[in-house]
Amino acid sequence: MSANDILDVLNISRDDSKQPAKKKQKINAEPAPRQTGMARELYNLLGPNTPPVNITNLSTVSRKDNVKFKVSPWTKMPFNPNKTKKDGHEVILNHWVKGSKELLEQDEKDKPYFFDKFDVKLDIPELVDEDTFDTYMEEIREHQKKIKEERKQREKEKKEQEAKDRERREKEKQKLQEQKNSNNSTNSSDNKSNQETDNAEEKKKESNGELSSSSNTSKNEEITGNASPSKVKVSEVEANEEKETTDAEKDEEKPAEEEEEDEEEDEEYLKEPWTYEETQYLFDLCSGLELKWPIIYDRYNYGTDRSAEDLREQFYSICLKILDSQETKNPALIDSLRAYSKYRELDRKQYLENLLKRTPAEIAEEESLVIEARRFEMAAKKMLLERSHLLSLLDSPQSTQQVQQYLSSQGITNLYNHLMILDKNQKKRQAQQSKSQVSNQEPVPPPIPIAASSSFKKDKSFQTHLQQYLAGVLKQNQNANPGVKQEANAIQQLLMKRLTQKEEEAYGLFFHGTEKLTPGVTLRSTQKLPGLQQKQSVLKSVNQVFQELDIPTAGGTSWKPVMPTRKSMAAYDDLLKSVVALLELKKGKDKLESEIKLIKSQRGLQ
Amino acid sequence: MSTNNNSNNVYGGDEINAIVLDPGSYHTRLGYAGDDFPKVIVSSNYGIHEDDKSNKKKLFGESINVPRSNFDIKPIMKDSLIVDWDAATEQYSHYFKSILNIDFNEQPILITEPVWTDNKYRQKFVETFYETFSFPALYLAKAPTCVSFEQGRPNCLVVDLGHDSVSVTPVIDGICLLKNSMKTNYGGRFLDDQIKDFVKSKENLKVEPTYKIKTKVPTLYPDEESKFDLKTLPTDITESFEEFQQNKIWHEFKETVLEVPDRKLNSSNGQQAASLREFYSQSNYKRLFEFPTGQSLELGVERFELAESIFDPQVYKFKDESLSARYPANSGELSIKSKYDDYRPLKRVRKAESNQSTPQPGATGGEDDQSQPSQPDSKSSSSVEIRGLTQLISHTLSSIDIDLRASVAHNIIVTGGVSLIPQLTERLYNELSNSNPGLKIRLHAVGNSSERVNQAWIGGSVLASLGTFHQMWVSKEEYEEAGPERILNQRFR
């Protein structure tokens, strides 16, 4: 009898959470009251009313005190963070470290500063001596000259092209003017004007041929071809003409400016060649600032006027030369160095600059365009997806593996089940995909199966599995030993002609259709009838009916006819089902009847 | 050691209790690295007391607020640079020795400096410190770098709205870009002087600093006479002391009443400007400011006009010539640019471009974009272009490398006491995003006001307690051996 029991009797509930702690306390405190000779029952009655401060616990507290934790020592240690550096100057700083002084002092001697490992230096090639530098510079200069000439050549060609185009355009315009005049005069019928335009086109072609060099005639033709439809609408062209002339004028102005710029660039280039000292200064900055180019450019203060791109170009080209001359080369690095082009970099930055200069309206327009484009893309993808689904419906899976493993009946059932599972999985996946599409993920069209291509023969799928299998066996046999070819042919012929129902029955052939089969061999007597998938209670009543009707259930729980042939099994199953249906009907009828009775009694009709 | 190492792996700190000193133009901050707040925040002014025997004694801290006869108040700093070296060293040693009780040999010292220091000044600074104090090592850290460390953003744009100067500094990988930094003096002092000018122009408004007032009765300014009594004070109170005390009134005025308007007040669209003014003159925007004499001044749209000068420094026209003379260009076109602007021919080209592209900075609402651009041009056409805060930042943004621009614009840190004026960051954000539509602007301003004022110090505290930083300290021996040129340019970068 404890306090708990009493509380139970009095229906007083205590906090469950407190209980275990209290119990523990009691256990701890137990020895002391025993010493006082208090009766155990009486002591138990004290229960939760024990004084909050347990005086006897004093001893345990003191015991805790007696347990000597070893205080882990912390020592204020002087350290030199530059200890491992070669040119490091001694700086003595103090920090607190866990451990006793003697131990730490011992450790300190052979340990580098903990954070030393974060002090990493970039591997930048050393600048070569002045003579080699000069030769390098000469090479670089020549290389650049070549590049520049190429650029110029290209630009010149471009300009020439433009000039030609312009000339041609003017010519065209003149022609148009003439043509327009003629059109105005002979405006009577469409046919006539068309003919005339045709004539004009031909003429133009001729004139173009004279004007342009042989290299770009084809292009010109194209352009005139494009321009021809507009010629019919003479009035429109008239309006555009003014614009074109102004454009052409602008075009004329532009190249002139560009040339000037080019010259300026050249001058600048010649004005401030890189000296050895300046390059040395650049290399020092690069190694000091760990190749952070914006900062290097910021701190570059040699007195010459160089852009950030100039600095990079010089550094990269010199590094390239140095690395190239070294014995151990790193081709990837050299290639990446070679890839740097100042002009391209400047172009890129110009593009970026222009990108930033867009007005909010332009940005918004661009965004809306992007969204639209994405929508189109989505639609296209969706269409592809649907198409591939359609195609996969037309297709049956093609085996890539050896047929050998499917040659046994076990193998073929395995294959069949495998295919069934695959099919199911595919269906599941499709369902998931359609779900994920709803959740706004981009649909990825599955690859269109090869077999889906129209040339693939699908007639196999119209054969039954057995037929396929047998045909496969026969083919194999054919290939294996041509000796039995004759014999095989006979069986094949027999198979190829469709058996009548009677014949099939006679041979005991049965095609399982869509029915699911368990792998392996089973006896029909142990087969489970599909009609037996009922509730236990239903089965019981069915059993009763069967017994009433004197139909054997083969005793016990196994339900089968005494002679389980296929036919009798099917009939038995039908019977089962119909009995179940009958019972259900009866149940429903009973229910309705009782309800009718009830309602009648409620209305007092009885 | 192993447990120690593990914890190091997590936060990378190695506490050595370094001293961090952040001398600012208004306050100087001192304390231990690893703390989250400076131990000492003291005015960057000192008092010099001359007794009968013409012995001079310097006083620092709160004691400079006590009225004494023949007691002068002088500034130590100007534009975050030390102008009075003797007083500076004396102030620092006073706090090191008698307040913090530092044993110099135990720890190094980290000192913040603005970006506009030249090497001559830095050399003097470093050498003075090596001579006067026996710290084992020291480090000069740029204040914007410290701010970037405080926020943990290695790439950022530090916009420091200080007392003497407003500066904009891009920080890349924790290193300041000096060529792109900008600085004007339209900061806290500029506002103070405007307020002074504004208040002094009011007739019958008695301005007496708090230390003189014995009793006062609250009165409303234009309608009632002021009612207050003055204390009996020692004679010969110097002018500089009086001015120093008066400045506290302007300072308080600035801190309590000013508010930045939503949009540019002086927009060229007259109608709109008028409607905006009218809007801010409504009664719910009115505030009372009580002067130490008990007189309360009601302020409506004036609050906004005064604060507007952060964005448009020309908006307020000084009535007092002597005050406007404080700001170098007297004609009202005031602009001091960083000296680093001088050697930057290439950038000039870019600047011209960017100014074309961006709708004239300061344009606020979308609707007044069209009318905007013509106006500032006509004003600034004569000489220097005057840059308000937004123009300053926009210019810096447009001048830095295009590859960095996006990341920097996304990390703009607003710091300094003046940035605490209500609605300032909102206005700044609106103007910046309107003038740079292609960039994604994000402003970072610390919510805690005292943290924002001391941000550079806190950053210095973070920096000086990093384990990886300890190899950066420069001892006196190294300094002497390597020479000032090398140390200043390569170590204190």
Side-chain angles (χ1 to χ4, degrees):
Chain A
M1 179 108 164
S2 72
N4 275 340
D5 300 339
I6 293 176
L7 286 172
D8 278 12
V9 170
L10 296 177
N11 260 346
I12 297 168
S13 66
R14 264 197 282 166
D15 284 352
D16 289 331
S17 55
K18 277 180 187 174
Q19 243 165 326
K22 287 235 166 98
K23 264 182 188 161
K24 232 182 207 171
Q25 224 176 24
K26 226 177 353 183
I27 291 160
N28 285 343
E30 226 162 17
R34 253 184 211 161
Q35 282 171 352
T36 58
M38 198 178 195
R40 189 169 59 85
E41 291 81 1
L42 194 59
Y43 173 72
N44 282 343
L45 281 176
L46 268 176
N49 296 329
T50 42
V53 181
N54 201 342
I55 304 155
T56 52
N57 268 352
L58 261 179
S59 60
T60 58
V61 170
S62 64
R63 203 166 54 203
K64 258 184 203 162
D65 269 348
N66 291 335
V67 175
K68 285 223 172 88
F69 288 108
K70 211 184 166 203
V71 178
S72 57
W74 282 78
T75 325
K76 191 174 188 181
M77 285 288 293
F79 71 103
N80 177 15
N82 297 328
K83 194 166 61 181
T84 40
K85 279 195 203 165
K86 274 181 221 152
D87 55 342
H89 287 259
E90 188 167 83
V91 177
I92 298 297
L93 310 168
N94 296 292
H95 60 176
W96 288 91
V97 185
K98 202 171 185 181
S100 71
K101 197 165 185 180
E102 300 80 37
L103 207 75
L104 285 172
E105 269 167 0
Q106 226 173 7
D107 252 18
E108 188 77 358
K109 276 171 199 159
D110 40 52
K111 241 189 190 171
Y113 179 52
F114 176 75
F115 290 97
D116 212 31
K117 62 190 172 200
F118 295 109
D119 188 15
V120 278
K121 288 254 156 33
L122 276 185
D123 188 21
I124 293 171
E126 292 258 327
L127 189 55
V128 289
D129 60 283
E130 201 163 348
D131 290 339
T132 33
F133 170 76
D134 284 344
T135 55
Y136 283 170
M137 276 314 284
E138 201 55 47
E139 281 168 29
I140 289 167
R141 228 166 276 156
E142 242 150 57
H143 181 64
Q144 276 173 342
K145 231 177 246 169
K146 223 194 282 168
I147 290 177
K148 201 163 272 176
E149 263 160 31
E150 270 171 30
R151 265 168 63 96
K152 248 185 216 162
Q153 193 64 34
R154 235 178 288 144
E155 256 163 46
K156 215 184 261 172
E157 274 171 22
K158 225 192 210 169
K159 263 175 227 158
E160 273 169 21
Q161 189 84 20
E162 275 171 14
K164 273 173 201 162
D165 282 358
R166 206 160 41 240
E167 252 176 76
R168 191 174 38 71
R169 238 180 286 152
E170 266 158 34
K171 275 269 160 86
E172 259 173 50
K173 235 174 276 158
Q174 280 179 2
K175 291 256 166 181
L176 276 177
Q177 203 76 30
E178 285 165 24
Q179 191 198 347
K180 194 171 62 190
N181 294 339
S182 62
N183 265 8
N184 284 344
S185 61
T186 59
N187 212 350
S188 54
S189 75
D190 286 352
N191 282 340
K192 256 188 190 174
S193 64
N194 274 346
Q195 270 179 1
E196 255 175 64
T197 47
D198 285 347
N199 288 339
E201 245 175 83
E202 274 169 33
K203 270 184 205 167
K204 227 159 279 155
K205 269 182 196 171
E206 283 166 27
S207 63
N208 284 335
E210 287 163 25
L211 270 170
S212 53
S213 60
S214 57
S215 62
N216 53 9
T217 41
S218 60
K219 198 185 170 193
N220 281 337
E221 272 172 7
E222 262 180 44
I223 292 167
T224 45
N226 288 338
S228 57
S230 67
K231 268 175 239 149
V232 187
K233 299 173 186 173
V234 182
S235 56
E236 266 188 38
V237 175
E238 216 177 337
N240 286 336
E241 246 167 68
E242 282 179 6
K243 237 192 237 171
E244 271 180 38
T245 45
T246 50
D247 279 351
E249 277 165 30
K250 269 183 198 166
D251 281 352
E252 271 168 46
E253 282 168 11
K254 247 187 203 167
E257 274 172 34
E258 275 169 21
E259 268 167 38
E260 274 171 35
E261 267 174 35
D262 266 15
E263 275 163 29
E264 267 174 39
E265 255 175 50
D266 282 350
E267 271 172 30
E268 193 189 305
Y269 180 70
L270 291 173
K271 203 170 58 193
E272 290 182 272
W274 282 89
T275 61
Y276 181 70
E277 285 74 29
E278 194 176 355
T279 313
Q280 185 68 57
Y281 175 74
L282 174 67
F283 268 67
D284 286 349
L285 266 184
C286 286
S287 59
L289 294 170
E290 283 122 21
L291 280 185
K292 290 169 185 152
W293 286 106
I295 302 163
I296 292 170
Y297 172 62
D298 184 64
R299 299 296 152 93
Y300 195 84
N301 197 5
Y302 195 75
T304 49
D305 177 27
R306 306 233 184 255
S307 68
E309 288 76 29
D310 286 336
L311 302 181
R312 289 176 77 163
E313 191 188 29
Q314 170 72 0
F315 179 78
Y316 287 151
S317 50
I318 292 288
C319 276
L320 183 62
K321 290 282 169 200
I322 295 169
L323 289 173
D324 225 5
S325 64
Q326 276 171 356
E327 281 174 17
T328 50
K329 284 182 191 177
N330 180 355
L333 181 66
I334 288 173
D335 279 351
S336 68
L337 278 176
R338 197 167 275 147
Y340 182 80
S341 157
K342 179 178 149 191
Y343 297 104
R344 239 177 281 159
E345 188 75 3
L346 283 172
D347 279 354
R348 184 181 69 84
K349 287 195 174 169
Q350 193 53 50
Y351 277 126
L352 274 176
E353 195 98 40
N354 290 340
L355 197 67
L356 281 186
K357 271 185 208 163
R358 293 174 304 168
T359 61
E362 280 168 345
I363 292 171
E365 194 188 331
E366 223 160 274
E367 255 165 34
S368 70
L369 276 177
V370 166
I371 289 169
E372 197 136 307
R374 209 165 280 166
R375 217 169 30 220
F376 277 128
E377 247 168 61
M378 287 273 275
K381 267 184 191 166
K382 211 173 167 186
M383 207 192 72
L384 266 181
L385 195 80
E386 274 165 15
R387 213 176 76 181
S388 70
H389 281 330
L390 272 179
L391 287 176
S392 66
L393 279 182
L394 295 176
D395 166 57
S396 67
Q398 212 179 6
S399 85
T400 51
Q401 286 166 317
Q402 278 285 323
V403 198
Q404 207 72 42
Q405 57 175 313
Y406 302 118
L407 287 185
S408 63
S409 72
Q410 179 86 35
I412 202 151
T413 41
N414 277 346
L415 172 70
Y416 180 69
N417 286 326
H418 180 68
L419 288 178
M420 285 298 281
I421 289 164
L422 266 188
D423 189 46
K424 237 186 213 169
N425 281 350
Q426 206 169 10
K427 266 177 199 162
K428 241 184 235 168
R429 220 177 302 139
Q430 277 172 8
Q432 270 173 351
Q433 259 171 2
S434 62
K435 251 182 222 168
S436 63
Q437 269 173 24
V438 172
S439 65
N440 215 1
Q441 266 176 6
E442 283 191 26
V444 184
I448 301 167
I450 322 146
S453 51
S454 53
S455 62
F456 185 74
K457 291 211 161 62
K458 289 148 203 124
D459 44 1
K460 270 193 183 172
S461 60
F462 296 114
Q463 290 177 334
T464 58
H465 291 284
L466 186 70
Q467 275 173 328
Q468 270 178 39
Y469 164 66
L470 285 174
V473 168
L474 288 172
K475 257 185 203 163
Q476 196 122 54
N477 284 346
Q478 259 175 23
N479 297 340
N481 42 346
V484 277
K485 206 173 172 184
Q486 290 292 319
E487 204 180 325
N489 266 348
I491 303 175
Q492 200 173 17
Q493 274 166 7
L494 188 66
L495 264 170
M496 290 315 275
K497 73 169 190 190
R498 232 162 167 25
L499 295 170
T500 61
Q501 198 136 19
K502 217 174 179 181
E503 278 170 327
E504 276 181 4
E505 237 166 83
Y507 293 131
L509 283 179
F510 179 75
F511 302 117
H512 279 281
T514 58
E515 204 178 316
K516 200 183 167 185
L517 295 181
T518 48
V521 180
T522 49
L523 286 176
R524 200 176 281 136
S525 56
T526 61
Q527 199 184 3
K528 282 232 166 171
L529 286 170
L532 280 172
Q533 283 163 351
Q534 307 286 347
K535 274 185 203 165
Q536 202 60 43
S537 56
V538 180
L539 283 184
K540 231 178 215 170
S541 40
V542 171
N543 199 15
Q544 236 165 13
V545 176
F546 271 38
Q547 269 168 6
E548 273 171 32
L549 293 175
D550 232 8
I551 292 167
T553 57
T557 48
S558 56
W559 292 68
K560 58 174 183 273
V562 179
M563 184 65 97
T565 63
R566 184 188 306 284
K567 271 183 187 169
S568 63
M569 282 292 265
Y572 196 80
D573 195 38
D574 275 348
L575 180 67
L576 252 173
K577 276 174 188 164
S578 51
V579 168
V580 168
L582 179 77
L583 282 172
E584 222 136 78
L585 225 116
K586 190 179 173 275
K587 214 170 159 189
K589 183 204 146 216
D590 286 352
K591 205 172 163 193
L592 279 173
E593 262 178 4
S594 67
E595 251 172 54
I596 289 166
K597 254 185 206 170
L598 191 74
I599 291 165
K600 270 186 183 166
S601 70
Q602 273 172 348
R603 296 197 180 160
L605 287 177
Q606 231 177 4
Chain B
M1 197 67 187
S2 64
T3 52
N4 192 17
N5 286 356
N6 284 339
S7 63
N8 279 338
N9 285 337
V10 175
Y11 88 120
D14 188 3
E15 219 57 78
I16 57 165
N17 289 334
I19 305 291
V20 179
L21 170 65
D22 175 31
S25 37
Y26 193 71
H27 275 143
T28 295
R29 299 148 199 110
L30 264 170
Y32 290 103
D35 284 5
D36 58 355
F37 212 67
K39 281 266 182 293
V40 179
I41 301 173
V42 64
S43 168
S44 294
N45 292 289
Y46 71 102
I48 184 157
H49 183 62
E50 202 172 336
D51 62 12
D52 304 334
K53 294 158 199 162
S54 73
N55 285 336
K56 285 186 181 173
K57 196 189 167 199
K58 293 193 180 80
L59 292 172
F60 307 102
E62 276 309 298
S63 50
I64 63 174
N65 290 323
V66 182
R68 301 178 173 91
S69 54
N70 292 326
F71 184 59
D72 265 316
I73 301 291
K74 286 180 181 169
I76 297 175
M77 318 282 299
K78 183 160 190 337
D79 267 354
S80 303
L81 303 179
I82 296 174
V83 287
D84 193 333
W85 287 94
D86 294 339
T89 46
E90 207 165 313
Q91 186 189 31
Y92 300 150
S93 67
H94 168 74
Y95 281 101
F96 290 151
K97 285 173 186 161
S98 46
I99 307 292
L100 293 180
N101 275 326
I102 291 173
D103 178 2
F104 288 116
N105 292 315
E106 287 235 309
Q107 68 276 300
I109 182 167
L110 179 131
I111 306 157
T112 67
E113 57 164 3
V115 286
W116 52 87
T117 52
D118 56 8
N119 269 357
K120 222 169 123 191
Y121 170 85
R122 300 172 79 200
Q123 192 178 342
K124 183 166 187 189
F125 200 120
V126 173
E127 279 164 15
T128 315
F129 255 83
Y130 280 132
E131 269 167 40
T132 324
F133 311 107
S134 54
F135 286 110
L138 65 75
Y139 189 83
L140 280 186
K142 298 247 185 285
T145 301
C146 295
V147 174
S148 89
F149 266 91
E150 200 265 356
Q151 288 274 296
R153 296 176 195 282
N155 291 328
C156 62
L157 186 76
V158 178
V159 179
D160 188 348
L161 296 148
H163 186 65
D164 273 4
S165 46
V166 171
S167 67
V168 179
T169 318
V171 178
I172 303 299
D173 285 337
I175 301 178
C176 301
L177 294 187
L178 305 179
K179 284 182 189 169
N180 303 67
S181 300
M182 312 270 293
K183 182 198 134 202
T184 64
N185 57 350
Y186 307 126
R189 191 190 295 278
F190 180 64
L191 290 178
D192 283 357
D193 282 342
Q194 282 182 10
I195 293 162
K196 181 175 176 182
D197 192 59
F198 168 74
V199 172
K200 291 265 162 121
S201 68
K202 302 261 176 206
E203 279 175 42
N204 287 332
L205 187 65
K206 299 249 166 53
V207 179
E208 297 289 351
T210 324
Y211 78 97
K212 280 184 175 173
I213 308 292
K214 191 175 169 194
T215 59
K216 62 173 177 184
V217 179
T219 52
L220 202 63
Y221 157 61
D223 310 330
E224 299 168 78
E225 281 290 304
S226 56
K227 289 173 199 157
F228 64 95
D229 292 324
L230 290 178
K231 274 185 204 164
T232 47
L233 286 161
T235 53
D236 298 333
I237 284 188
T238 59
E239 219 170 273
S240 61
F241 182 79
E242 172 77 12
E243 202 195 327
F244 178 71
Q245 294 300 331
Q246 272 193 10
N247 281 343
K248 295 198 166 189
I249 305 172
W250 321 134
H251 199 77
E252 191 190 338
F253 189 108
K254 172 179 73 186
E255 284 180 339
T256 50
V257 203
L258 291 199
E259 189 174 337
V260 175
D262 260 357
R263 260 177 281 155
K264 196 177 168 71
L265 276 182
N266 263 12
S267 84
S268 55
N269 187 340
Q271 200 184 344
Q272 206 172 29
S275 70
L276 196 63
R277 272 167 198 280
E278 205 173 305
F279 175 73
Y280 281 121
S281 309
Q282 287 170 350
S283 61
N284 55 338
Y285 283 105
K286 286 201 166 71
R287 299 281 184 279
L288 282 178
F289 180 75
E290 193 189 291
F291 285 90
T293 53
Q295 281 181 301
S296 291
L297 176 62
E298 195 184 58
L299 299 147
V301 74
E302 297 91 343
R303 303 193 303 132
F304 298 95
E305 278 172 348
L306 288 166
E308 171 75 15
S309 58
I310 299 167
F311 289 90
D312 182 8
Q314 301 168 93
V315 77
Y316 188 85
K317 302 274 182 272
F318 281 105
K319 295 164 192 88
D320 187 350
E321 281 300 312
S322 68
L323 274 179
S324 64
R326 278 194 187 185
Y327 299 91
N330 199 355
S331 57
E333 290 178 345
L334 317 171
S335 172
I336 300 175
K337 285 201 281 175
S338 164
K339 68 187 170 70
Y340 297 105
D341 276 353
D342 295 344
Y343 42 91
R344 203 168 42 170
L346 191 89
K347 293 283 154 125
R348 290 258 162 80
V349 181
R350 276 196 196 165
K351 182 181 89 189
E353 280 171 5
S354 69
N355 278 3
Q356 276 172 11
S357 70
T358 54
Q360 193 48 244
T364 49
E367 64 268 30
D368 52 13
D369 274 354
Q370 294 159 339
S371 52
Q372 207 67 48
S374 61
Q375 190 230 356
D377 287 354
S378 59
K379 270 185 189 172
S380 57
S381 58
S382 55
S383 61
V384 211
E385 189 188 342
I386 294 175
R387 294 211 170 90
L389 186 59
T390 316
Q391 288 98 316
L392 214 60
I393 297 170
S394 288
H395 181 135
T396 312
L397 279 179
S398 67
S399 73
I400 55 179
D401 196 302
I402 185 87
D403 294 334
L404 303 171
R405 216 172 286 173
S407 72
V408 161
H410 203 237
N411 291 295
I412 299 177
I413 302 175
V414 184
T415 179
V418 176
S419 70
L420 290 168
I421 293 176
Q423 302 301 316
L424 186 135
T425 44
E426 285 83 349
R427 164 87 178 269
L428 187 60
Y429 175 76
N430 285 334
E431 290 202 350
L432 279 179
S433 14
N434 280 334
S435 58
N436 302 288
L439 290 170
K440 199 176 170 198
I441 302 282
R442 206 167 75 184
L443 296 183
H444 302 268
V446 183
N448 185 341
S449 62
S450 53
E451 204 176 316
R452 211 188 291 186
V453 174
N454 300 314
Q455 213 164 351
W457 186 94
I458 298 167
S461 157
V462 170
L463 195 57
S465 48
L466 288 177
T468 44
F469 180 75
H470 297 326
Q471 301 187 335
M472 309 279 278
W473 299 107
V474 174
S475 65
K476 195 179 177 184
E477 291 75 37
E478 186 179 356
Y479 179 78
E480 277 163 1
E481 201 173 295
E485 183 67 25
R486 199 180 149 75
I487 293 293
L488 292 180
N489 290 329
Q490 294 190 5
R491 296 297 292 275
F492 300 152
R493 57 195 189 191

